[in-house]
Amino acid sequence: MAEHRVVLVRQWDQQLGGSGCCGRLDGEAVRELHGHAEQPYAHCRTDMEAVGAVYRALRSVFRADEVELTVVDPRNTAWMLPAVWRDARRRGLRWPEALRQLNAATRACAVVCDGLVLDCGTEPEQVVAAVEADLACRGRTAGGNPLSRDG
C-alpha cells in the first residue's frame, strides 16, 4: 500500500443522472429515453477529460507503490470527506485547516495530495510538478525515501 494518496475529483456521468439503489442514468440511457438529447452531460465532459489526462500523467510518473491515485465524484462525500480528513490529520494539519481542505476538496477538478488541496489547475504537467513539489517539501516519498526521479 502506498504511503501517499492523491485524490482527483472528477464528475461521473452516472452520478450526474442519479445515484443510489434506484438506478443511474448515464449518458447512453438518457439518449435512449430522449432521442433528441445529443450529449446530456456535455457541460462536464471537458473537466472529465482534463482529469483523465491528469490521472495518466501522474500514473506515468509515480508507481502504484509510491502514490495511490483515487478518482472520486465530488458528490461522493460519504467517502471523500472522511478520507480527506484522515489524510489531512495524518499530514499534521490542525482541525481548522483540515476543515478548510474538506470544503475545497468537494469542487470538481480538485487535486488533493495527502489531505491538502493543491492549487495547480488541470494541466497535467502543472499537476505533476505540484505533487512532486508537495512530496519533496516534506522530504520523502513512499517508504520514507527522499524524492528522486533519477533512478
Side-chain angles (χ1 to χ4, degrees):
M1 184 170 183
E3 181 179 342
H4 302 286
R5 175 173 28 210
V6 174
V7 176
L8 303 175
V9 182
R10 173 197 184 272
Q11 296 189 63
W12 294 6
D13 288 355
Q14 291 83 359
Q15 290 297 108
L16 292 170
S19 63
C21 63
C22 297
R24 294 185 173 109
L25 297 175
D26 63 7
E28 188 61 35
V30 171
R31 279 190 294 279
E32 287 295 321
L33 292 171
H34 301 284
H36 63 278
E38 292 178 20
Q39 293 290 332
Y41 304 119
H43 62 283
C44 299
R45 180 57 52 195
T46 302
D47 288 347
M48 292 177 191
E49 291 173 359
V51 173
V54 167
Y55 179 92
R56 290 186 298 277
L58 288 168
R59 186 49 66 214
S60 73
V61 173
F62 296 104
R63 296 183 323 264
D65 64 338
E66 290 179 302
V67 173
E68 174 188 331
L69 289 178
T70 303
V71 181
V72 64
D73 187 276
R75 289 165 293 275
N76 187 355
T77 56
W79 180 88
M80 187 175 15
L81 296 180
V84 172
W85 176 262
R86 282 190 304 269
D87 289 351
R89 296 296 287 162
R90 187 176 314 115
R91 180 188 185 101
L93 298 181
R94 295 186 179 268
W95 71 265
E97 182 57 29
L99 284 174
R100 282 191 281 281
Q101 298 309 309
L102 291 181
N103 186 47
T106 60
R107 67 178 164 76
C109 299
V111 177
V112 187
C113 184
D114 292 334
L116 180 70
V117 178
L118 303 178
D119 185 22
C120 57
T122 57
E123 288 298 317
E125 298 79 19
Q126 291 176 347
V127 175
V128 168
V131 171
E132 287 179 325
D134 183 55
L135 296 178
C137 79
R138 292 182 284 143
R140 61 195 167 113
T141 61
N145 297 326
L147 184 63
S148 172
R149 289 274 156 246
D150 296 333

